[in-house]
Amino acid sequence: MHILDHYTGTRHDRPRRREEDVFVEKARQHDEAAIRAIIQRYNQTIFRMVRAIVQSDAEAEDVVQEAYVRAFSNLESFRGDAAFGTWLIRIALNEALGRKRQRRETDLSALETSPSVDVMMEAFGMGHSPVNPESDAARAEIRALIETALDTLPEVFRIVFVMRDVEGFDIAETAALLELNPNTVKTRLFRARAMLREALSARVSPYFGDLFPFDGARCADMADRVLARL
């Protein structure tokens, strides 16, 4: 299934689109179950996109919440020219970008008056590891490492990376949502991947010398076994 078929019910997924139309119509009538269903359908996608912009879990939650409030309070403005999911995502992106812009302006103002920062889990071979405390801890460490590295990317590259490699939107969809030229999306994705690899390498390479340790008791045991065979 195409990614926007999944999230917005467009293209060939007509039954899902019709189901979503029903939810939207019920939401217009303040139906709580319909509103909950819409929120649950889009929560993760919107959070990830917003988080890529504001770089804070707490602020991303605030932005997502505000975006939902704005959307459900103004459903009469949704005319169906675009898919509902596209309309909703744009509201969230605009809210996130507005927050970021406002924060930047506030920081500049303060400076003038002052006296004086689960994608690449597969790449690390952690995508389908058994559930146990050790693997959970390792996944958490890797996730934190990736998130920290991703946060170092400039915003224009970070949001494209999240939309393409984390959420799976294709080039055309990403370009449409961000109002960019498709070639610009390709270029930014290429640079984002390169910068992320570089950032991860800088954080991981100091630990390469500790990989596959074979010393201490294990080393001594090997010597004992070799000597025993000899």
Side-chain angles (χ1 to χ4, degrees):
M1 181 183 294
H2 198 274
I3 191 70
L4 279 189
D5 290 342
H6 178 71
Y7 288 120
T8 65
T10 57
R11 302 204 177 187
H12 307 296
D13 193 16
R14 303 304 179 190
R16 188 179 182 88
R17 177 68 180 269
R18 287 195 295 269
E19 177 191 42
E20 187 161 87
D21 289 343
V22 171
F23 284 146
V24 172
E25 188 55 40
K26 288 184 177 180
R28 292 184 199 270
Q29 302 166 22
H30 310 290
D31 184 280
E32 181 177 325
I35 293 174
R36 287 182 180 276
I38 292 172
I39 290 174
Q40 290 172 0
R41 177 172 292 185
Y42 291 99
N43 250 347
Q44 179 162 280
T45 295
I46 293 178
F47 177 83
R48 284 173 168 172
M49 291 182 182
V50 167
R51 173 63 176 75
I53 295 174
V54 301
Q55 295 182 275
S56 162
D57 286 3
E59 188 171 6
E61 286 192 35
D62 287 343
V63 171
V64 173
Q65 177 176 292
E66 183 63 26
Y68 282 136
V69 170
R70 287 177 182 269
F72 290 121
S73 297
N74 295 279
L75 277 178
E76 68 277 1
S77 67
F78 174 63
R79 304 301 181 186
D81 298 331
F84 178 77
T86 300
W87 181 76
L88 183 59
I89 289 170
R90 281 177 177 158
I91 290 176
L93 289 176
N94 286 335
E95 177 68 21
L97 291 169
R99 290 281 190 101
K100 189 73 174 287
R101 186 163 50 249
Q102 184 179 36
R103 186 202 308 162
R104 188 179 299 120
E105 292 171 355
T106 301
D107 290 344
L108 287 174
S109 175
L111 185 62
E112 292 173 357
T113 59
S114 173
S116 54
V117 161
D118 279 358
V119 169
M120 295 178 71
M121 289 295 186
E122 297 293 342
F124 283 85
M126 299 296 295
H128 304 285
S129 57
V131 177
N132 58 66
E134 290 78 12
S135 64
D136 285 348
R139 288 171 62 88
E141 289 181 10
I142 292 172
R143 184 170 58 249
L145 183 68
I146 295 170
E147 289 176 351
T148 299
L150 188 56
D151 276 343
T152 66
L153 270 60
E155 178 186 309
V156 294
F157 301 114
R158 191 168 59 246
I159 184 61
V160 168
F161 179 87
V162 170
M163 293 183 72
R164 289 284 290 115
D165 284 356
V166 178
E167 284 302 315
F169 285 91
D170 66 23
I171 294 292
E173 291 158 351
T174 303
L177 284 167
L178 297 180
E179 299 180 342
L180 295 172
N181 183 290
N183 287 331
T184 301
V185 172
K186 293 177 183 178
T187 300
R188 290 184 181 180
L189 179 62
F190 177 83
R191 292 187 62 186
R193 288 170 174 169
M195 286 188 288
L196 188 59
R197 282 196 299 269
E198 183 177 349
L200 286 171
S201 177
R203 286 166 172 75
V204 173
S205 58
Y207 301 99
F208 284 170
D210 297 328
L211 290 174
F212 309 119
F214 196 80
D215 53 10
R218 294 178 68 196
C219 182
D221 182 60
M222 174 61 71
D224 290 342
R225 282 184 285 159
V226 170
L227 289 169
R229 291 190 61 184
L230 292 174

